[in-house]
Amino acid sequence: MTLRDRVADRVDPILALAVAVFAVSTSAILIRVSDAPKPAMAFYRVLFTTVLLLPFLRGHTGAIQRIRRRDLLSAVVAGVALAAHFATWFESVDRTTIAASVTLVQTTPVFVAIGATALLDERPGRRTVLGIIVVAIGSVVMSAGGLVAPADVPAPLLGNALAIIGAIMAAAYVLAGRTIRQRVSLIPYVLVVYTVCATVLLGYVLAVGNPLWGYPPREWLLFLGMAVGPGIFGHTVINWSLKYVESSVVSVTLVGEPVGATLLALLIFAEVPGVATILGGAVVLGGIVLTARGRGG
C-alpha cells in the first residue's frame, strides 16, 4: 500500500464530505466577486484544476493508454457536457440570486434520474418520481418569485433558466461517465474529461472574443481559488468519497451547497433571498433528497 493510500484510508470520509460541501459552496461567491468574463473564468478554473491534478497521474499513464475507444468517446461527451455546464451556470450566477442559481443547478440528481429512465431503461421508484414532481413544483415557485425579484437582480428568469440548463448538462456529464468509472480509475478519467472540457471552453473564449491575458493579479488569484477550492477540495474530494460512502448519501449531502452558498451570500453581499426563493428552494431541496434516496435504493 502506498503512502497516499495509507493517508486516504485514515481520512474520515464524512469529515471529507463536510469540507467538500463547504468548498463547493464558495464557487458562486468566487464567480460573483470576479470581474473577468465568465467564459474566461470557466476556462481557467478547469485548466488550473487539470494542472493541479497532473502530479497525481504518476503510475496511471498506462491506464490512460488502455482506455477503449468507446470509453474515450464517452469521456469526450462528458467533457463537452461539463464545459456546457460551467458556461451556463457561470452566466446564471450574475443574472439571478445566488440562492436561486445554486439551488436550481443542484437539481442534477433529478435529471440524472430522468436520463437514466429514458436512455438506460432504468425504472424509477415511487420516491424518485415523487422527488421529480416536488422539484418541478419548487422550481416553478422559484421562477415565479423571479417576476418580483429585487431591482439589483438583472435577469432572474434568464438566470434561473441558465441554472436549470447547467443542471441538465451536469446530468449529461454524470450519465456519460457513469459506465467508464467502473473500468477506469478516478485520476485518468477526470484528467481526460477535464482536458476535453478545457479545450471546449478555450474555443468558447476565443469565439466570443474574450482576452486570454492581461487580467490583474486579483483575477488570477480568483481563478486559482476556484480550482483549489471548488475544483480540488470540492468536486475531486466528492469523487474520492464515493469509494467509501454510498452515492445516495453523497447526493443528499450536496444539498448543503445551496444552504452554504446562500449563507455566504448573505454575509458577504448582504443578499437576502425573497420569500418565493426561500419557499421554492426548500421544496426543491426536499425533492432532491427524495430523488437521491429513491435512486439509492
Side-chain angles (χ1 to χ4, degrees):
M1 180 182 289
T2 65
L3 175 62
R4 184 173 62 192
D5 291 333
R6 288 199 297 269
V7 171
D9 286 340
R10 292 181 180 179
V11 175
D12 182 349
I14 300 301
L15 178 61
L17 268 179
V19 171
V21 169
F22 174 77
V24 296
S25 296
T26 65
S27 184
I29 306 300
L30 294 171
I31 294 170
R32 180 69 67 81
V33 168
S34 176
D35 295 324
K38 296 302 178 288
M41 197 187 306
F43 165 66
Y44 279 115
R45 166 177 166 164
V46 179
L47 177 65
F48 288 173
T49 301
T50 305
V51 171
L52 290 170
L53 286 174
L54 281 176
F56 296 95
L57 186 59
R58 185 179 179 182
H60 291 287
T61 51
I64 291 182
Q65 295 171 352
R66 290 192 298 271
I67 296 178
R68 298 186 301 185
R69 183 175 300 179
R70 178 182 174 185
D71 289 341
L72 187 60
L73 178 60
S74 295
V76 169
V77 172
V80 173
L82 185 60
H85 161 74
F86 282 128
T88 52
W89 182 58
F90 274 42
E91 292 289 350
S92 165
V93 172
D94 271 355
R95 288 172 166 78
T96 187
T97 62
I98 286 177
S101 179
V102 178
T103 301
L104 290 173
V105 84
Q106 272 296 335
T107 58
T108 296
V110 173
F111 293 108
V112 169
I114 295 172
T117 302
L119 302 176
L120 304 179
D121 199 27
E122 293 184 5
R123 297 185 62 182
R126 280 183 289 185
R127 277 199 297 186
T128 300
V129 173
L130 178 60
I132 292 171
I133 294 172
V134 170
V135 166
I137 293 172
S139 299
V140 169
V141 173
M142 293 183 77
S143 297
L147 296 173
V148 290
D152 59 345
V153 179
L157 293 181
L158 175 59
N160 291 351
L162 287 171
I164 292 174
I165 294 172
I168 294 172
M169 292 298 101
Y173 157 66
V174 170
L175 289 169
R178 195 160 141 179
T179 56
I180 309 175
R181 281 290 288 118
Q182 297 173 7
R183 296 182 291 273
V184 181
S185 56
L186 174 64
I187 296 299
Y189 169 69
V190 296
L191 282 175
V192 171
V193 172
Y194 289 173
T195 300
V196 172
C197 179
T199 302
V200 172
L201 288 172
L202 174 60
Y204 180 36
V205 171
L206 297 176
V208 298
N210 290 157
L212 286 172
W213 315 108
Y215 297 107
R218 171 181 178 274
E219 295 299 330
W220 293 109
L221 287 175
L222 287 171
F223 297 158
L224 182 61
M226 293 176 197
V228 173
I232 301 297
F233 284 99
H235 291 286
T236 303
V237 170
I238 289 167
N239 281 317
W240 168 84
S241 70
L242 286 170
K243 177 180 177 181
Y244 305 94
V245 183
E246 292 180 1
S247 59
S248 59
V249 175
V250 174
S251 297
V252 172
T253 303
L254 285 176
V255 171
E257 179 186 354
V259 178
T262 300
L263 292 175
L264 288 173
L266 179 63
L267 293 173
I268 297 172
F269 304 119
E271 184 177 284
V272 181
V275 174
T277 298
I278 295 174
L279 292 178
V283 173
V284 168
L285 295 179
I288 294 172
V289 171
L290 275 173
T291 303
R293 288 196 177 279
R295 287 188 58 73

